Amino acid sequence: MKGVDELQRLLKKSKRPRALTGAGVSAESGIPTFRGPGGLWRNFRPQDLATPEAFARDPKLVWEWYSFRREIIAQAKPNAGHTFLALLENEKPDFWLITQNVDGLHQDAGSRRVLELHGNIWRLRCTACPKYVEDLRVPLATLPPKCGACGAVMRPAVVWFGEALPEGTFAKSWELAQTADLFLVIGTSGAVEPAASLAREAKKNGAVVVEINPEASALTGVADLSIKGESGEILSRV
Ligand code: OAD
């Protein structure tokens, strides 16, 4: 397959490859995406479930939604796409993975140089103080717990609509995009900023951009090479 051969060639000579992943990379693990057919945002309204206002208004509803997603993710295993990216880290000492996913499957596959732009569903953070805790319970208790340090209510440590990305994580991702020589865009619609701008920034600074996605996305026009297909399937051939 032409795209696969070309990607192999690009990877071989790349010294500073990066990958930006989105929900599509976990689709073959059985985790629904947000915007595609069967996507979560086709059936649920983000403003009811994924904003600080929604959590303030109805913490129980938001908590149940995260519990529901954690149950799906807890049953999922990394697929060939996750595994490929974990192996790439061994081959390329300056490879970095930037993900919008909160499912932790990249780490389960063995990736260590991972930047989570949108947080992690297995962590909670306090709404009032800087406390973070890991919480692997499935299902969750019916109401969010109280912070052990200050007693305020805890929330999922994920980024909601209208919230800023973790500052250090985004700054590091931006720098990595600027210094990339190859930038893989895998399984993302490119609909959410500022994550999508990382691909544009990489391209602006001279990186070759390669997209892997069965559908056209908002970033297809940025890509020098667009490989149409499912990422697990494609990357297992690479
Ligand atoms: P989307 O649901 O917007 O896009 C998923 C993309 O994956 C689509 O372009 C699909 O065509 C593609 N896709 C589907 N199956 C695939 C497969 N097997 N292999 C490769 N690609 C596949 O998900 P994201 O782009 O990740 O934000 O969405 C970005 C953010 O929007 C998420 O991080 C989340 C959401 O609201 C927050 O939670 C803050």
Side-chain angles (χ1 to χ4, degrees):
M1 189 182 177
K2 190 168 165 288
V4 169
D5 294 345
E6 179 66 3
L7 178 54
Q8 276 173 336
R9 195 183 62 74
L10 289 166
L11 277 167
K12 235 176 227 159
K13 69 172 198 198
S14 171
K15 295 208 162 37
R16 294 178 309 282
R18 326 298 186 204
L20 172 69
T21 63
V25 84
S26 295
E28 286 153 274
S29 296
I31 301 177
T33 62
F34 293 94
R35 295 176 181 79
L40 296 169
W41 296 150
R42 296 270 179 115
N43 299 307
F44 302 97
R45 289 166 12 120
Q47 59 271 39
D48 292 340
L49 300 165
T51 66
E53 294 78 20
F55 187 64
R57 196 168 52 234
D58 194 344
K60 187 164 183 288
L61 178 72
V62 172
W63 204 244
E64 280 167 1
W65 153 252
Y66 279 91
S67 189
F68 155 73
R69 288 180 55 200
R70 283 160 64 119
E71 284 182 48
I72 297 172
I73 294 168
Q75 287 168 27
K77 301 253 178 313
N79 64 53
H82 298 105
T83 305
F84 174 89
L85 293 167
L87 294 174
L88 191 58
E89 189 173 298
N90 299 335
E91 298 286 320
K92 304 277 179 182
D94 199 4
F95 170 66
W96 278 86
L97 178 51
I98 304 164
T99 188
Q100 298 165 87
N101 297 347
V102 299
D103 57 31
L105 287 189
H106 285 305
Q107 292 90 330
D108 289 351
S111 286
R112 290 294 165 260
R113 289 195 295 278
V114 186
L115 293 165
E116 292 179 315
L117 290 177
H118 294 162
N120 188 298
I121 201 164
W122 300 111
R123 298 183 81 207
L124 306 181
R125 72 175 172 88
C126 180
T127 51
C129 79
K131 180 129 181 116
Y132 278 81
V133 291
E134 187 181 57
D135 183 325
L136 304 176
R137 285 174 298 162
V138 170
L140 279 169
T142 49
L143 279 174
K146 297 278 159 59
C147 173
C150 77
V153 70
M154 302 290 282
R155 55 164 279 182
V158 300
V159 175
W160 283 331
F161 286 94
E163 293 186 317
L165 268 49
E167 204 177 301
T169 307
F170 188 69
K172 169 95 182 153
S173 304
W174 193 253
E175 185 194 310
L176 288 166
Q178 289 178 324
T179 54
D181 59 8
L182 176 63
F183 197 89
L184 311 178
V185 179
I186 307 172
T188 178
S189 60
V192 171
E193 294 294 352
S197 300
L198 292 168
R200 294 193 189 90
E201 187 63 13
K203 170 100 173 185
K204 198 172 102 190
N205 285 277
V208 176
V209 177
V210 177
E211 178 179 61
I212 303 175
N213 197 315
E215 309 287 337
S217 81
L219 290 171
T220 303
V222 179
D224 298 286
L225 171 66
S226 192
I227 306 178
K228 287 253 173 301
E230 305 204 305
S231 47
E233 220 271 302
I234 298 289
L235 289 171
S236 65
R237 289 202 253 160
V238 176

